[in-house]
Structures are given as C-alpha cells and as structure tokens.
Amino acid sequence: MDKDFDLSLLDAELRRYGLATLDERLGRPVGPVLDALVIDRAVDKYRKGSRTLQRVCELYGVELTDAHEAGSDALAAVRVAVALAGRYPAEVGAVEPAELHRRQIDWYRQWAEGLQAWLRRGKDPRAVVDPRWPAR
C-alpha cells in the first residue's frame, strides 16, 4: 500500500544502475496508480486509529495472510481497493482510474500539508512532509 515508497525506490534503483526510469520507459508519467491507503484516508478522513495495511484489512473485511510479504501485502491492498470502490461508489467505484489517480495526487498533497502543519505545531517546528505522490 505504500506506492509512493515502492515507486520511488524502484526509480532510485533504476537511476543508480544507469537504467531508464519508469517515466522514461513509459514515455509519460507513471499511472494510473491506485493506492488504497491514500484513498482510505480521503474518503474516511475523520476515522480515528491507525491506517496500516493490517488495520484497513480488518476494517474492510479483507484477509491478510503473511503480512509484510510483498505478494500477500499487494494482494491484500488490491482487495482493500476493491472494497473501497464498493463502499464508496461515487468517490471511488464509479471514477475512471486516470481521474482517481489525479484525485489521489491532490488528496495526498492535502494530507501531507495537514500532517506537516500538525507536526510543526507540536512535535517538530521544522518538520517537512513531502507532498509528492505517487513517486518522490
């Protein structure tokens, strides 16, 4: 579910080995990317509690076996995305993937700005939360 990390890491590794980046290989920006965590935070923004894969799987009735194993986590994230589409048809389910990708860019930016402001008010006055998604 951490697509921004996954894509950023893959891009960094491609660059490290002098290979074409994902954008270069595609001839366009990567996408559409669907990130269940970004979507969940946007459509149910006032829900209390953690937003881990394990927690959202519990919430949406998705089985998560072998947590932290890449294949299991990816399958669970897809199933959470499908559950989100069913629970929030107007905001997620009926939206074309390219449009949902664009919305997630904005949702993630808004979340990052809010988190940064919250951190700066209390824990760390110099906190910086990168607002770029799906890759940094």
Side-chain angles (χ1 to χ4, degrees), residues 79-93:
R79 289 178 174 158
V80 168
V82 170
L84 283 160
R87 188 172 293 185
Y88 301 98
E91 298 93 338
V92 182

Side-chain angles (χ1 to χ4, degrees), residues 2 9 16-17 27 33 36 44 48 61 64 74 78 87 107 124 127 135:
D2 203 358
L9 179 63
R16 183 165 74 122
Y17 288 101
V33 174
D44 195 3
K48 302 267 188 226
L64 174 61
V78 168
R87 188 172 293 185
W107 290 339
D124 182 357

Side-chain angles (χ1 to χ4, degrees), residues 10-48:
L10 181 56
D11 234 20
E13 286 297 293
L14 289 168
R15 287 178 200 277
R16 183 165 74 122
Y17 288 101
L19 301 172
T21 65
L22 295 173
D23 289 358
E24 291 165 350
R25 290 165 186 260
L26 292 171
R28 61 174 173 74
V30 173
V33 174
L34 304 180
D35 187 326
L37 179 58
V38 171
I39 296 168
D40 176 61
R41 276 194 307 242
V43 298
D44 195 3
K45 65 177 79 176
Y46 300 110
R47 186 178 76 242
K48 302 267 188 226

